[in-house]
Amino acid sequence: MSAHADTHAHEDDHGHHHKETFITKYIFSQDHKMIAKQYLITATIMGVIAVVLSMMMRMQLAWPEEPNVIFEALLGKWAPDGVMDADIYLALVTIHGTLMVFFVLTAGLSGTFSNLLIPLQIGARDMASGFLNMISYWLFFLSSVIMIISLFVEAGPAAAGWTIYPPLSALPMAQGGSGMGMTLWLVSMAIFIASSLLGSLNYIVTVINLRTKGMSMTRLPLTIWAFFITAVIGVISFPVLLSAALLLIMDRSFGTSFFLSDIFIQGEVLHYQGGSPVLFEHLFWFLGHPEVYIVLLPALGITSEIIATNSRKPIFGYRAMVASILAIAFLSTIVWGHHMFISGMNPFLGSVFTFTTLLIAIPSAVKAFNYITTLWKGNLQMNPAMLFSIGLVSTFITGGLTGIILGDSALDINVHDTYFVVAHFHLVMGISALYGMFAGIYHWFPRMFGRMLNKNLGYIHFWVTAISAYGVFFPMHFIGMAGLPRRYYTNSNFPLFDDLADVNVVITIFAVIGGVFQIVFLWNFFYSIFYGKKAEQNPWKSNTLEWTAPVKHIHGNWPGEIPHVHRWAYDYSKPGHDNDFVPQNIPLKDGEEELQH
């Protein structure tokens, strides 16, 4: 079918789509722009819940055994007289980690920005399958609902840490949080993985098949490369977690022994024989480490686009950036053992995993240096999206440096399972990915909602969040090096750690300030959807195709013909042009050379 015929087919479409009902437009929508908004708002709600849980954990660590009205209000029977019950603390850790890693940073980042940007930036009418896209979102929504329901189970929500290691997760009778709450966790995650796989397959097919005329792979914006490779990693690694979850369901409900062996409860030996909990660790971390990059790569892709746009300079080392994304994707699948150095692993295997882990620092460093070089001598536009992008580069470097220590099997033994690990991955994965998500929201909000976010509120949001994030996670490295174990609901039983109590209070104060100030962002976000300043078509003077589409969302993205691409996405401040940006759909002038990336 020629492009011309395709255009006419879609013009006929417009006739049908004016008669959309509320349900087909806002609920069971097959339009990628609406599905992106659905993902974003669902992930935002899950994020609010996860932040509330983390603030309760922090208050418990700062002031253990002290009555707290917030605990009494939110935890009910789990906080008699306002004192947190020991059993519920690990459940808070579990649900906070699960919501943040999967529901906010995986679905929120990939679900929102892959959906919004892939068709718009490659010049496609929509995703390869709108129906599959809709199913993907509603499976995510269903899994979110089940995960929230699990918070209200009589015996308590899942409580085995977000990594759900057996035997706590495999024996329903082990503790309250091993019962119904754990079952619901597993069901929710199985549905979440189905959603993630459907979404990923859709993204991959769309990028490969639906690029507009002239959009070769080397002209793709780095955002699309990042989303594309993220989807590939997801398709490779998520099925392994699904198999682990299914085997765990078998062990729990059908009497098998994949992960259990020689278990005694109150002196009585159970019938489980021959399983291995370490097998579960291998299956979990085979997803768990690629997951870090499933979370990070979209944020890094968004940052590439925003830093180039707001430096008014071509991105430095485009091909090196693409190569580093590919190298990270490959290496991410052969480093999972560094989470398991103290599981009795053969020391030689440990040295192999140390080697591969240190190798992954190279493409990561390429990205960091290229961001810094793009910023160098640029005409910097310091809007909130740019600030969050630069913040991401900062946390990516500071968090990555501690990864070199944890990736070394000899050094990791000293700080394994302490707050040093918590500080490391929250900076490099949690905060970096959140900054990428915030940067993306500030940058593409006008594309999503046709209005601008309030810039001054954005500045307040950035500075308070940035100072609070370092205020929380910088001191955490030191209490970790002092030996403070993670996941303990109180450290008051160990005189050894009495000196660290004050540090825990400081961390908690920063955490509460940072958490509460997200209300500034939430207010800005929801207020601006309805009352923000109306956006122009290309507010950031950017080159990529999504800014050539009209502000008003239409089915099929562009009225008439889809724009053709004549150049790469980073022709900023190019000599011989009147403006300091040249969109991708502007043909090359006579004698103009396409930049060698």
Side-chain angles (χ1 to χ4, degrees):
M1 192 185 205
S2 70
H4 185 68
D6 187 36
T7 309
H8 281 293
H10 273 285
E11 274 162 5
D12 294 344
D13 262 9
H14 293 305
H16 301 306
H17 277 276
H18 284 309
K19 301 185 190 63
E20 284 190 320
T21 63
F22 178 84
I23 290 187
T24 58
K25 186 171 180 191
Y26 292 106
I27 301 175
F28 295 114
S29 173
Q30 295 187 23
D31 185 300
H32 69 101
K33 301 180 289 297
M34 183 54 66
I35 292 172
K37 294 180 201 175
Q38 292 175 320
Y39 265 110
L40 181 58
I41 289 168
T42 311
T44 304
I45 294 164
M46 301 300 271
V48 169
I49 296 166
V51 167
V52 169
L53 297 180
S54 70
M55 280 159 57
M56 286 198 286
M57 283 147 52
R58 285 304 334 160
M59 287 189 271
Q60 164 65 16
L61 290 170
W63 304 289
E65 316 298 336
E66 287 183 30
N68 186 321
V69 291
I70 298 175
F71 293 170
E72 202 162 11
L74 293 178
L75 296 175
K77 69 169 185 176
W78 298 108
D81 302 325
V83 178
M84 187 184 288
D85 188 83
D87 286 343
I88 200 66
Y89 180 80
L90 191 56
L92 295 180
V93 173
T94 305
I95 304 297
H96 163 77
T98 307
L99 291 185
M100 276 302 196
V101 172
F102 295 111
F103 291 79
V104 179
L105 297 178
T106 303
L109 259 173
S110 285
T112 303
F113 293 106
S114 297
N115 266 315
L116 178 72
L117 295 177
I118 287 177
L120 280 167
Q121 287 195 342
I122 67 173
R125 294 285 181 201
D126 206 312
M127 282 290 178
S129 167
F131 181 73
L132 207 61
N133 213 6
M134 177 185 80
I135 298 292
S136 167
Y137 169 73
W138 282 103
L139 286 174
F140 166 59
F141 181 81
L142 178 63
S143 72
S144 303
V145 169
I146 294 172
M147 192 60 78
I148 299 307
I149 287 172
S150 81
L151 290 170
F152 300 98
V153 169
E154 178 82 22
W162 79 275
T163 53
I164 58 159
Y165 285 176
L168 274 185
S169 59
L171 291 170
M173 70 290 273
Q175 55 166 352
S178 299
M180 188 56 160
M182 191 72 234
T183 304
L184 288 173
W185 190 101
L186 288 165
V187 170
S188 169
M189 281 310 298
I191 296 170
F192 177 88
I193 293 166
S195 151
S196 176
L197 286 172
L198 292 179
S200 294
L201 290 169
N202 216 353
Y203 306 150
I204 292 168
V205 173
T206 306
V207 172
I208 290 174
N209 286 347
L210 296 187
R211 301 191 306 280
T212 186
K213 190 176 176 194
M215 180 62 88
S216 61
M217 293 300 269
T218 50
R219 284 178 177 167
L220 284 176
L222 287 168
T223 37
I224 303 299
W225 270 108
F227 299 144
F228 175 57
I229 300 301
T230 300
V232 172
I233 304 175
V235 167
I236 291 167
S237 55
F238 263 119
V240 181
L241 184 65
L242 182 62
S243 66
L246 292 175
L247 295 181
L248 202 48
I249 289 169
M250 295 284 207
D251 272 14
R252 290 170 57 79
S253 306
F254 301 107
T256 57
S257 306
F258 291 108
F259 306 130
L260 294 167
S261 185
D262 305 323
I263 303 277
F264 291 79
I265 289 192
Q266 294 170 337
E268 185 187 336
V269 62
L270 300 185
H271 66 275
Y272 299 105
Q273 210 63 46
S276 164
V278 177
L279 169 63
F280 179 86
E281 290 188 32
H282 279 293
L283 292 174
F284 182 90
W285 286 115
F286 190 81
L287 160 91
H289 201 81
E291 170 65 25
V292 172
Y293 295 99
I294 290 172
V295 162
L296 255 180
L297 282 180
L300 294 171
I302 286 167
T303 297
S304 304
E305 181 61 36
I306 292 172
I307 285 182
T309 299
N310 289 308
S311 301
R312 314 311 292 163
K313 272 178 65 184
I315 191 88
F316 184 89
Y318 174 89
R319 286 179 184 240
M321 291 296 247
V322 172
S324 68
I325 290 174
L326 294 167
I328 284 172
F330 170 66
L331 289 169
S332 75
T333 59
I334 52 170
V335 295
W336 78 92
H338 65 215
H339 297 266
M340 301 170 53
F341 285 143
I342 62 162
S343 65
M345 174 187 283
N346 180 323
F348 173 72
L349 188 58
S351 67
V352 173
F353 278 122
T354 298
F355 175 65
T356 57
T357 302
L358 297 184
L359 271 186
I360 210 165
I362 298 169
S364 305
V366 166
K367 296 193 91 58
F369 284 125
N370 282 8
Y371 291 138
I372 294 166
T373 327
T374 305
L375 290 166
W376 179 251
K377 293 193 174 177
N379 173 16
L380 304 184
Q381 316 292 308
M382 287 297 188
N383 49 43
M386 181 64 153
L387 288 174
F388 273 111
S389 296
I390 297 171
L392 180 148
V393 178
S394 164
T395 54
F396 187 56
I397 294 170
T398 46
L401 286 172
T402 52
I404 295 172
I405 295 164
L406 294 169
D408 189 310
S409 52
L411 298 176
D412 174 69
I413 289 168
N414 305 294
V415 284
H416 192 94
D417 262 336
T418 67
Y419 272 93
F420 192 85
V421 178
V422 179
H424 157 71
F425 78 77
H426 275 83
L427 273 181
V428 79
M429 175 170 96
I431 300 296
S432 297
L434 267 182
Y435 282 1
M437 192 163 168
F438 285 139
I441 292 168
Y442 281 102
H443 190 74
W444 280 290
F445 190 87
R447 186 55 278 185
M448 270 194 268
F449 297 102
R451 293 177 183 271
M452 305 294 283
L453 283 164
N454 183 311
K455 203 171 178 178
N456 292 332
L457 290 180
Y459 289 139
I460 295 169
H461 176 219
F462 170 74
W463 285 111
V464 176
T465 304
I467 292 164
S468 300
Y470 271 131
V472 170
F473 297 116
F474 190 68
M476 236 181 230
H477 291 93
F478 298 103
I479 61 175
M481 286 191 285
L484 196 69
R486 60 198 276 205
R487 295 186 180 170
Y488 284 22
Y489 81 107
T490 172
N491 304 300
S492 50
N493 296 340
F494 306 99
L496 171 71
F497 298 131
D498 285 350
D499 296 346
L500 305 178
D502 293 344
V503 184
N504 258 328
V505 173
V506 169
I507 291 174
T508 296
I509 289 167
F510 274 117
V512 171
I513 292 170
V516 168
F517 259 84
Q518 300 313 308
I519 292 171
V520 172
F521 167 72
L522 291 172
W523 190 86
N524 192 2
F525 183 81
F526 287 107
Y527 179 85
S528 299
I529 288 176
F530 301 105
Y531 305 112
K533 193 179 102 199
K534 282 207 159 52
E536 53 190 279
Q537 187 171 347
N538 189 357
W540 315 118
K541 307 283 179 272
S542 193
N543 287 345
T544 41
L545 290 181
E546 76 271 27
W547 305 108
T548 63
V551 178
K552 187 175 179 345
H553 285 184
I554 57 169
H555 189 78
N557 294 337
W558 288 272
E561 206 171 340
I562 296 177
H564 293 173
V565 169
H566 302 279
R567 57 182 73 234
W568 72 326
Y570 300 103
D571 271 345
Y572 291 104
S573 306
K574 192 171 187 185
H577 286 271
D578 299 336
N579 294 326
D580 68 351
F581 70 107
V582 191
Q584 285 188 277
N585 61 331
I586 304 290
L588 293 169
K589 294 181 176 176
D590 288 340
E592 181 187 355
E593 280 187 39
E594 189 172 357
L595 273 183
Q596 288 302 312
H597 346 303

